[in-house]
Amino acid sequence: MSPLLLGIDIGGTAIKGGIVEKSTIVWKTVELIEMKNPFETLVYVIGKLVEHADTRPEAIGIASAGRIDSEKGIVVYATSNLKNWSGLDLAQKINSRFHIPTFIINDARAAALAEAGSRNVSNMVLLTIGTGLGGGIVVDGKLIEGAHWQAGEIGHTILYPNGRRCNCGKKGCAEMYISMKVLHRYAKEKDRERLIEKFKQKDQNTVMAVEKMCRDIAVLIDRIFLTIDPQVVAIGGGFCELGSNALEILRKCVEPYSSKSLYNTSQVDLSILGNDAGIIGAVIYAKDRISRS
């Protein structure tokens, strides 16, 4: 029997959990985060997975928002999107609750690992556009985490100096212009499903909102190609649910930049794994850590 692992993806508004066998999610659950205590929501999700599993899991891989010391399993820093998350020794706390080896990695980095594997490429960048804006960088087949565990924090690079105030304390961060929260605000539509439906029906206001945000995404994508020169820049997170028409808009926004460089718009793509990438990447990371121990 193949080993069974649990993969968890902690975003800004929900926690997704999956039972994974042979790199396939065989059962999944999603819970909205209890904003006052996201840790208890996490414990609840893991409890559901353990209860549903046929055998005892070999390990738990957790992909979390925030800057994660993945060697120690500690949340070094997280914004107020996750309450009381900064400084949390997440691996130790989950280990002590469930007595299952637990490994932690940043959510966008986990998704990048999974996406690179699914595409069989050795150099790529993944931008996750969800509640916030995250990033993961894979170079020569290796995930880049950096000296302070913040390589890929593209959402907190400055897009507009002295622009909108970010909850990280800076002004003009890319996340303040590129996220599903921002898109909902631009489109004046709070409901996720209605936003997607309006876009697919080519509602003018919604299409204009997507175009507005894509112009800013294109600036980031050009910077990434000229800094890292990856084979692919993939877009993950909730943005993927908008589908191929949104990708077409984004590629048109990128084209004026790519035409003056050596990359082309076909290297910009939507995530293959979509919202499952974080779960699968967390499991990939956990398996790698187990093999090293």
Side-chain angles (χ1 to χ4, degrees):
M1 184 179 290
S2 60
L4 183 149
L5 297 99
L6 304 183
I8 312 289
D9 184 3
I10 304 171
T13 55
I15 297 177
K16 298 185 286 287
I19 298 171
V20 180
E21 292 184 77
K22 294 182 179 178
S23 301
T24 300
I25 299 173
V26 296
W27 192 79
K28 187 165 78 167
T29 184
V30 181
E31 293 290 333
L32 292 177
I33 290 175
E34 168 54 56
M35 294 309 291
K36 291 181 180 177
N37 198 342
F39 181 76
E40 289 306 318
T41 308
L42 172 61
V43 168
Y44 177 71
V45 168
I46 294 173
K48 280 181 72 174
L49 294 174
V50 170
E51 185 179 336
H52 198 85
D54 294 329
T55 59
R56 186 164 179 77
E58 183 180 23
I60 301 171
I62 298 177
S64 173
R67 294 169 202 179
I68 310 296
D69 180 338
S70 56
E71 288 299 318
K72 295 178 181 176
I74 296 171
V75 181
V76 178
Y77 170 78
T79 67
S80 57
N81 284 344
L82 286 169
K83 302 292 184 186
N84 304 314
W85 217 242
S86 291
L88 189 65
D89 190 342
L90 195 51
Q92 188 276 328
K93 285 180 78 71
I94 294 300
N95 237 317
S96 65
R97 283 277 189 121
F98 293 95
H99 307 290
I100 299 171
T102 302
F103 306 97
I104 320 296
I105 186 173
N106 170 272
D107 56 347
R109 273 40 128 214
L113 263 182
E115 191 72 23
S118 69
R119 292 174 178 274
N120 196 29
V121 295
S122 55
N123 295 277
M124 71 157 286
V125 173
L126 178 72
L127 292 177
T128 56
I129 303 175
T131 305
L133 172 63
I137 303 167
V138 176
V139 174
D140 294 335
K142 295 179 180 179
L143 185 68
I144 305 301
E145 295 192 89
H148 301 95
W149 311 100
Q150 58 187 358
E153 287 291 336
I154 295 165
H156 294 289
T157 60
I158 300 300
L159 187 61
Y160 290 102
N162 297 312
R164 298 169 189 164
R165 184 175 291 280
C166 181
N167 58 10
C168 77
K170 297 191 291 188
K171 289 183 179 180
C173 287
E175 185 171 285
M176 293 296 97
Y177 302 86
I178 302 168
S179 76
M180 293 308 289
K181 269 202 230 179
V182 170
L183 185 58
H184 279 278
R185 190 167 71 246
Y186 286 168
K188 297 180 174 62
E189 176 56 72
K190 294 180 180 179
D191 184 80
R192 179 182 65 85
E193 290 185 7
R194 280 204 300 267
L195 175 75
I196 294 166
E197 189 59 31
K198 281 183 177 180
F199 178 72
K200 289 181 177 178
Q201 291 175 351
K202 299 186 178 178
D203 171 74
Q204 185 178 7
N205 186 59
T206 309
V207 171
M208 287 174 63
V210 172
E211 289 172 342
K212 181 176 181 179
M213 195 169 82
C214 280
R215 287 194 289 272
D216 285 333
I217 301 171
V219 173
L220 280 192
I221 287 174
D222 184 59
R223 288 181 186 173
I224 289 166
F225 274 112
L226 295 180
T227 304
I228 297 167
D229 195 21
Q231 292 161 278
V232 177
V233 172
I235 310 296
F239 186 87
C240 292
E241 296 180 85
L242 296 170
S244 58
N245 286 341
L247 177 61
E248 184 180 346
I249 290 170
L250 178 57
R251 284 176 169 173
K252 283 181 180 177
C253 291
V254 170
E255 198 277 334
Y257 304 115
S258 65
S259 64
K260 307 295 190 298
S261 192
L262 299 179
Y263 70 94
N264 60 71
T265 57
S266 68
Q267 292 173 257
V268 178
D269 201 5
L270 297 182
S271 166
I272 293 171
L273 297 173
N275 280 328
D276 288 340
I279 292 173
I280 294 170
V283 166
I284 290 171
Y285 182 70
K287 286 169 71 174
D288 178 65
R289 287 294 300 273
I290 290 168
S291 69
R292 285 193 266 147
S293 61

